[in-house]
Amino acid sequence: MNFLKDKKILLIVTGGIACYKALDLIRRLQDKKSNVECVLTSNAQEFVKVITFESLLGKKISSNLFSLDQEKNMNHIKLANNAEIILVAPCTANFISKISNGVADDLATNVMLASNKPKIVAPAMNTNMWENKAVKNNINNLKKIGVTVLSPQSGKLACRTKGKGKLMDVDMIVENLNLFFSEKKLQGKNAIVTAGPSIEKIDPIRFIGNFSSGLQGYEIAEALSFFGAKTTLISGPTKLMPPSNVEFISVESSDEFLQKSVEKLPADIYISVAAISDWKARNISKNKLKKKSTSTSFDFKLSEDVLKSISTHKKRPKLVVGFSAETENLLSNSKKKFQSKKCDWMIANKITNAYGFKSEKNKVFFIEKNNIEEWKIMTKRIVARKLVKKIVSFFKNYKL
Ligand SMILES: Cc1cc2nc3c(=O)[nH]c(=O)nc-3n(C[C@H](O)[C@H](O)[C@H](O)COP(=O)(O)O)c2cc1C
């Protein structure tokens, strides 16, 4: 459904290599019959021409704070007040830093400060810039002050490297904007998502862990929150930044995953994406274990089965979903887990070098009682969206 019709959207375009994609974005928003106004920073105009934007929009665009012509009616305040939402795409590291610190030294930053409307930024930059601590801090700060961040994706970048920093797909930006205006279909629902690896200590400096990146769980938490669910993300150690509008709880061991999950009950939705270790040390050594020539074995015991504990808990959420990562016999192993863990759905994901733990893509099977669906290889972001749409229909039918 199109919720963007007649919506007043102010698009701020900042000076990055992905500026040209803003034209495509405007086109898609026009297709949705949105009413788009546009501001280009002066550095954006080094990459694209004002006239191209004006031709596409069929109206003048604003770019200068100190233009008598534009400012005789306090244009910067008007622009801020007239928009129902402000979208910054692409958003540079520089602009992120400025708006995170309340800098107001040009038209675009003044509009951002003067507006009390919802704001969404879609960053695009070189991977090292995106991973720079200063940028990370600024992004976290933006999230804290209520700005929604559409995380960039991985791919080939203009600087001829491959990595994270590519502007989110224009279609996805439009879908997110549409969702923003849509009726929040999971409003009133509480969701818990676990993500990332667990860390089971052996001694003060060593642990057993795994290669889970956490990305799939983070994407699901973000998608749930976009659909209006009050979402808690319980995560093992990852390199990822928590999504906007999600309560974030950091944990390490299987015991902590379970403890924090139980503390968050009751909930409507529980999605166990974390790769939680099946074993933990019977005793964690107080001191560093010393190398012995006589023995190379460690004493482990089974760790808590977090998913099963939640599935069989007296405060069991209405919908419990597990993820089953396998390197072989994917379907038969996952079906067995589906039975034994007593969850409602199981997502079986194949772990290979090409997709699974270390990749942005996933190949999954969706398993429920009497039904198995094979989903084609897709990004974890799309897997998350597809899953959350299924959750929406589950609750629609659940009410009947
Ligand atoms: C060729 C070129 C490409 C650039 N691409 C990006 C980019 O993709 N992302 C980014 O954050 N900065 C990029 N920059 C740096 C910004 O242009 C610079 O930080 C500028 O001050 C941004 O201004 P603005 O945020 O006011 O638009 C690029 C610079 C050059 C010269």
Side-chain angles (χ1 to χ4, degrees):
M1 220 170 139
N2 178 16
F3 294 96
L4 290 170
K5 186 165 182 280
D6 297 331
K7 290 289 179 300
K8 291 178 189 147
I9 298 168
L10 174 63
L11 174 66
I12 295 180
V13 182
T14 65
I17 205 87
C19 268
Y20 69 96
K21 294 186 183 170
L23 292 162
D24 194 20
L25 185 53
I26 291 174
R27 255 267 142 75
R28 308 288 170 99
L29 292 172
Q30 286 174 331
D31 291 345
K32 301 275 182 198
K33 309 262 182 292
S34 304
N35 182 349
V36 185
E37 294 284 340
C38 195
V39 170
L40 298 191
T41 62
S42 59
N43 288 324
Q45 292 169 51
E46 299 289 333
F47 294 85
V48 284
K49 291 259 176 258
V50 169
I51 189 154
T52 322
F53 281 77
E54 289 185 339
S55 314
L56 189 61
L57 285 166
K59 56 185 157 191
K60 279 253 169 238
I61 67 164
S62 312
S63 45
N64 190 353
L65 180 62
F66 298 107
S67 141
L68 182 59
D69 184 33
Q70 290 177 9
E71 275 299 320
K72 60 186 172 219
N73 298 318
M74 295 298 280
N75 193 38
H76 68 285
I77 305 292
K78 249 191 178 170
L79 279 167
N81 286 341
N82 284 350
E84 288 171 79
I85 195 163
I86 301 182
L87 168 66
V88 188
C91 187
T92 59
N94 175 57
F95 200 75
I96 288 166
S97 165
K98 291 211 269 185
I99 58 174
S100 144
N101 290 290
V103 172
D105 64 352
D106 63 1
L107 179 63
T109 45
N110 273 280
V111 170
M112 289 296 277
L113 263 194
S115 163
N116 57 5
K117 302 292 164 50
K119 300 174 189 88
I120 300 186
V121 300
M125 65 197 69
N126 158 275
T127 309
N128 289 343
M129 279 170 102
W130 175 249
E131 283 173 357
N132 188 295
K133 192 90 181 104
V135 175
K136 278 190 178 169
N137 288 342
N138 290 332
I139 288 282
N140 284 334
N141 196 33
L142 282 189
K143 289 178 181 172
K144 274 191 212 139
I145 59 175
V147 176
T148 300
V149 179
L150 301 180
S151 324
Q153 55 200 51
S154 289
K156 265 197 199 153
L157 300 174
C159 47
R160 294 183 191 85
T161 55
K162 237 178 142 186
K164 196 146 183 161
K166 199 175 160 76
L167 183 73
M168 178 182 276
D169 265 350
V170 167
D171 281 340
M172 197 58 131
I173 296 179
V174 174
E175 193 192 318
N176 280 322
L177 268 185
N178 196 41
L179 264 178
F180 194 87
F181 286 109
S182 73
E183 166 207 349
K184 298 277 182 263
K185 294 192 173 148
L186 292 175
Q187 189 102 48
K189 300 276 177 281
N190 285 303
I192 305 168
V193 181
T194 65
S198 70
I199 292 286
E200 299 294 348
K201 276 188 180 164
I202 297 169
D203 67 16
I205 56 167
R206 303 188 183 96
F207 61 84
I208 47 170
N210 58 68
F211 293 114
S212 167
S213 68
L215 182 60
Q216 185 64 80
Y218 280 53
E219 290 288 2
I220 291 171
E222 182 167 83
L224 282 165
S225 141
F226 261 93
F227 277 78
K230 190 163 175 282
T231 305
T232 302
L233 175 62
I234 303 174
S235 174
T238 75
K239 290 185 182 158
L240 305 172
M241 279 191 256
S244 310
N245 309 322
V246 160
E247 184 194 356
F248 184 74
I249 299 176
S250 171
V251 294
E252 290 191 341
S253 66
S254 55
D255 287 346
E256 287 176 311
F257 268 110
L258 180 59
Q259 186 206 331
K260 295 294 172 189
S261 297
V262 170
E263 272 173 29
K264 290 314 273 184
L265 296 179
D268 302 284
I269 305 159
Y270 186 84
I271 309 186
S272 165
V273 198
I276 300 176
S277 172
D278 291 327
W279 308 279
K280 61 182 176 185
R282 191 168 295 281
N283 295 303
I284 302 171
S285 170
K286 254 188 169 167
N287 293 309
K288 183 187 167 199
L289 291 167
K290 302 305 290 175
K291 189 155 89 179
K292 289 183 196 140
S293 52
T294 46
S295 166
T296 52
S297 63
F298 295 98
D299 194 9
F300 289 117
K301 62 178 180 181
L302 286 177
S303 51
E304 294 300 333
D305 189 328
V306 180
L307 175 57
K308 194 168 174 181
S309 303
I310 298 296
S311 278
T312 53
H313 197 278
K314 56 180 186 298
K315 291 188 196 160
R316 183 195 199 277
K318 294 175 193 83
L319 179 67
V320 178
V321 185
F323 267 70
S324 160
E326 295 289 344
T327 55
E328 55 177 356
N329 305 325
L330 177 66
L331 272 180
S332 57
N333 284 338
S334 302
K335 276 195 252 173
K336 267 186 226 151
K337 269 194 217 166
F338 174 63
Q339 301 287 344
S340 73
K341 308 244 177 183
K342 305 195 182 326
C343 49
D344 301 291
W345 301 341
M346 181 66 83
I347 312 290
N349 62 318
K350 180 100 179 142
I351 305 296
T352 67
N353 286 338
Y355 35 81
F357 275 6
K358 289 183 186 166
S359 154
E360 293 241 325
K361 291 194 171 159
N362 229 347
K363 165 74 190 165
V364 309
F365 289 83
F366 174 87
I367 302 174
E368 62 186 334
K369 202 175 167 193
N370 307 326
N371 179 38
I372 296 183
E373 289 170 20
E374 178 174 4
W375 294 2
K376 63 178 200 276
I377 298 168
M378 52 183 95
T379 61
K380 290 177 175 172
R381 186 165 277 171
I382 305 285
V383 170
R385 281 296 150 94
K386 215 170 139 96
L387 178 63
V388 172
K389 283 179 183 164
K390 276 199 173 282
I391 294 174
V392 169
S393 356
F394 171 89
F395 280 101
K396 228 165 139 191
N397 300 331
Y398 190 88
K399 275 190 200 148
L400 298 174

